[in-house]
Amino acid sequence: MVFTASNLTLRGGIYYFRARIPTPLVAAYGREIVSVSLHTTDPAVARLRAREKRLELDRALQALEHGTAPRAEQFRGTALHMTDAEIEQFCEVFRETALENDEAARIKGMQASSRELDIDMLEAGLPLLREAFALGELSAVYPELEAQMKALGLSLSTTSPSYEKLARRFQQVDVELQETLLQRRRGVIVAVPRASTNELSIRDVYKCWLRQKTRDAKTARSFEQAFENLEALCSVKAARLLQKANAVHYRNALQDGRKLSARTIEKQLTFLRAAWQCAVNDNLLDANPWVGVKVALDDERTESKSRLPFDIAELNKLFKGEVYKPWFEPRPSLGNACYWLPLLALFTGARVEELAQMTRGDVKQDPEHGWYLSIRPEAQTGKRVKTASSIRNVAMHPEILRLGFLAHVEKLKPQDRIFPALRPDKYGKLATVFSTWWGRYSDECEVTDSRKVFHSFRHTFIQVCKTKAKAIPPEVREAIVGHLAAGDIEQTYGDALYPLEPQVAAMQEVEYKGLDLSHLYPAAKPGQA
């Protein structure tokens, strides 16, 4: 950017920066004229300070005009390195914006005396600029470069090898710019070059990830929080200016803050890495600075966070707890989910949300292989699955039938939810309240190991299947719990869904020796749960 002589006024020997606000922006800006003391009597110093004031004002006006950050906002932040392309981009924007502002001032009209003063100043300053360029002298460049970076909100480490490279290119462009302005003042027509810009902001990277495919609200919010943390701790706003050193600095800042666990920090880094990769894949960015930036997780702490299966003693405690007493009355917000979700999870290995969202229509009967559960997404009812491989049919274990589950669901209409008391949370999840309750219930049953949660039913089912690997092949086990890719199933069986026949045989083998559920059989109870 550049100022003109008309922006400088002299009052009592002190130079002032003065500019008129464009009429359409007066109301938003709050005044018609800006007049600021430059606190100097030296015309050379005044010229430098006026440039900075002009930059600041133009940024403010551009933001008001467009309702967004100006184009140069892409350089905002602290950079540890700038590539050759980024240096060229910075200088292009500097030159283009300066010529645009000068052209705007010319169109508004310039007095002959101001034009002559401009010519005098340019003719006097250009030889000094050319001489410094010829000698490779940068001392006069650094203050002006810093003023330009400050106005744009950019700070480049002076220890970076790219800092001097930027200064030398900036010096060259400044000489060319002053020569161009002198030609314009002499009446030569000068076109305004257009800088090629890449305005992809850090927030745009998140948006890029978001639109790749349909994201559930909870996952989207988790990613968004990772970006909010990044924006709070990292002043870089342009995605392409964020280098690996910035990513490492961000990780270190999270660790030094000591407010987040190592596992949480690693998860946030994973989110950022995945989102950046989407932008790279779309050719919006050249590289992913988050690759390789990780947190070393302590093996013991990692183990302490892993989920463990229940043992038989714990299962007996859970299924002989208060919920399974004849007098138990569930909370209205839970209903019969208290009773059936644990049993279904134990004998299907399904995830809690997969079970919580089931409708009567998901309980189906095959004429040859009997009853099964159909787990699949459905936009109309809001049913979702974790991954594509989670879409599956699961043969119903004989024990579930023995416990009277069919008698419970047969009285429902096809579209009715099996657990109507469960209400979705803000992310659409139905099992949130149930999961909170389950933590308290398991404590009451003296199952207090923090690694043993509701998801432990899934681990328990998988563990039993593994102990009977000869009778339950790994492929069948993986299909039942939703770990087998649909492509692999289709290639082998010609259908995206794994067949029921091997599942039925596998379910006959799933047995929890020592678990006593006889008190839950319909004949042993005064009424249905």
Side-chain angles (χ1 to χ4, degrees):
M1 290 186 181
V2 71
F3 71 96
T4 62
S6 57
N7 292 131
L8 279 178
T9 59
L10 195 62
R11 297 183 199 167
I14 303 296
Y15 280 96
Y16 280 73
F17 170 79
R18 179 181 172 86
R20 181 178 294 278
I21 304 301
T23 302
L25 300 179
V26 169
Y29 194 82
R31 67 179 78 174
E32 295 182 2
I33 301 292
V34 173
S35 182
V36 181
S37 173
L38 298 175
H39 305 289
T40 183
T41 58
D42 187 330
V45 175
R47 183 173 181 271
L48 181 61
R49 293 178 181 177
R51 278 194 176 207
E52 184 175 334
K53 294 298 180 184
R54 179 77 254 180
L55 284 166
E56 292 176 359
L57 179 61
D58 286 340
R59 286 184 65 232
L61 295 179
Q62 191 171 6
L64 287 174
E65 183 177 5
H66 300 294
T68 59
R71 178 185 59 243
E73 182 75 10
Q74 62 183 302
F75 295 107
R76 192 166 184 78
T78 300
L80 300 179
H81 174 74
M82 289 181 72
T83 65
D84 289 348
E86 289 165 350
I87 289 173
E88 192 62 31
Q89 177 76 10
F90 179 91
C91 292
E92 283 180 6
V93 170
F94 161 68
R95 173 167 42 201
E96 177 190 339
T97 311
L99 290 175
E100 280 182 345
N101 291 335
D102 183 70
E103 180 67 3
R106 185 190 67 80
I107 291 174
K108 288 179 183 178
M110 179 179 291
Q111 294 182 355
S113 59
S114 295
R115 171 177 171 271
E116 291 172 2
L117 180 56
D118 275 354
I119 292 175
D120 290 344
M121 292 177 66
L122 290 167
E123 287 181 338
L126 266 171
L128 299 176
L129 292 177
R130 293 193 189 102
E131 182 179 7
F133 176 76
L135 296 174
E137 174 59 49
L138 295 174
S139 58
V141 174
Y142 290 132
E144 195 163 333
L145 174 60
E146 288 295 333
Q148 171 73 11
M149 289 197 295
K150 181 180 178 182
L152 298 182
L154 173 67
S155 176
L156 177 64
S157 173
T158 57
T159 61
S160 170
S162 57
Y163 185 81
E164 183 178 337
K165 186 179 291 187
L166 172 63
R168 295 198 179 281
R169 179 57 181 150
F170 184 84
Q171 180 186 46
Q172 180 181 345
V173 171
D174 195 29
V175 172
E176 295 168 352
L177 173 62
Q178 302 307 314
E179 290 176 339
T180 300
L181 291 174
L182 180 57
Q183 292 298 313
R184 180 178 277 174
R185 289 296 179 273
R186 288 171 173 168
V188 177
I189 297 174
V190 177
V192 178
R194 288 294 170 189
S196 57
T197 59
N198 174 8
E199 298 184 0
L200 190 75
S201 68
I202 285 179
R203 182 56 59 141
D204 289 333
V205 175
Y206 166 73
K207 293 176 182 177
C208 174
W209 169 84
L210 193 63
R211 63 173 172 262
Q212 288 281 316
K213 64 178 184 179
T214 303
R215 314 283 186 181
D216 69 77
K218 189 172 183 179
T219 301
R221 179 56 187 149
S222 296
F223 270 72
E224 187 176 31
Q225 287 176 326
F227 274 83
E228 288 172 354
N229 288 340
L230 175 62
E231 290 172 329
L233 292 175
C234 180
S235 59
V236 174
K237 303 301 180 185
R240 65 188 182 82
L241 287 185
L242 196 145
Q243 306 294 321
K244 192 157 195 171
N246 300 110
V248 171
H249 176 77
Y250 171 69
R251 179 202 62 192
N252 295 344
L254 290 181
Q255 291 177 311
D256 293 342
R258 301 185 181 279
K259 291 183 179 180
L260 301 177
S261 67
R263 179 175 291 275
T264 300
I265 294 173
E266 176 59 26
K267 184 180 292 186
Q268 297 228 344
L269 295 174
T270 300
F271 291 161
L272 294 170
R273 187 160 50 247
W276 241 263
Q277 193 56 47
C278 287
V280 171
N281 294 344
D282 284 353
N283 291 324
L284 298 175
L285 294 172
D286 295 328
N288 187 342
W290 301 98
V291 173
V293 181
K294 298 182 178 182
V295 175
L297 300 177
D298 183 270
D299 290 340
E300 292 184 3
R301 293 188 64 187
T302 301
E303 177 63 25
S304 70
K305 290 290 185 181
S306 62
R307 306 311 184 194
L308 297 180
F310 295 117
D311 59 36
I312 294 300
E314 290 166 332
L315 289 176
N316 278 315
K317 288 180 181 179
L318 293 170
F319 291 112
K320 289 181 179 177
E322 185 180 3
V323 170
Y324 298 96
K325 302 295 185 183
W327 58 81
F328 177 73
E329 291 188 10
R331 290 166 46 183
S333 60
L334 298 173
N336 53 14
C338 299
Y339 186 96
W340 284 112
L341 282 183
L343 291 167
L344 289 169
L346 180 64
F347 287 103
T348 63
R351 301 176 179 92
V352 64
E353 192 65 28
E354 293 173 339
L355 298 171
Q357 66 187 7
M358 285 194 308
T359 62
R360 170 63 181 87
D362 294 326
V363 182
K364 300 183 178 182
Q365 186 177 28
D366 181 85
E368 185 176 354
H369 303 297
W371 292 94
Y372 66 95
L373 302 179
S374 174
I375 299 175
R376 66 192 68 247
E378 189 177 82
Q380 185 177 0
T381 59
K383 290 190 289 189
R384 294 172 291 188
V385 293
K386 184 176 181 180
T387 62
S389 62
S390 300
I391 300 173
R392 64 199 188 278
N393 293 331
V394 179
M396 202 173 293
H397 194 283
E399 191 71 358
I400 292 294
L401 302 176
R402 197 175 297 123
L403 290 166
F405 181 65
L406 290 181
H408 167 65
V409 300
E410 282 176 348
K411 54 191 174 186
L412 302 174
K413 296 178 181 179
Q415 69 273 16
D416 288 347
R417 289 206 349 252
I418 294 176
F419 307 110
L422 300 180
R423 291 289 180 263
D425 64 9
K426 62 182 180 179
Y427 300 114
K429 301 286 188 180
L430 288 167
T432 302
V433 173
F434 171 84
S435 297
T436 301
W437 167 83
W438 176 262
R440 293 194 296 268
Y441 175 72
S442 61
D443 286 343
E444 292 171 3
C445 294
E446 299 180 352
V447 180
T448 57
D449 190 329
S450 62
R451 297 170 295 178
K452 297 190 176 183
V453 296
F454 190 88
H455 200 68
S456 294
F457 283 118
R458 181 172 171 85
H459 288 279
T460 305
F461 179 88
I462 292 173
Q463 182 189 56
V464 169
C465 290
K466 287 182 176 179
T467 61
K468 297 191 174 184
K470 290 184 178 180
I472 306 176
E475 177 190 274
V476 179
R477 180 191 73 235
E478 296 292 274
I480 292 173
V481 298
H483 285 165
L484 197 61
D488 296 337
I489 298 173
E490 191 167 8
Q491 185 175 2
T492 304
Y493 297 97
D495 194 301
L497 297 176
Y498 197 80
L500 287 171
E501 184 176 0
Q503 292 189 50
V504 171
M507 287 299 190
Q508 297 287 347
E509 299 293 331
V510 175
E511 181 183 4
Y512 300 99
K513 291 184 178 180
L515 175 61
D516 180 14
L517 298 178
S518 60
H519 61 293
L520 302 182
Y521 298 152
K525 298 183 298 180
Q528 291 293 330

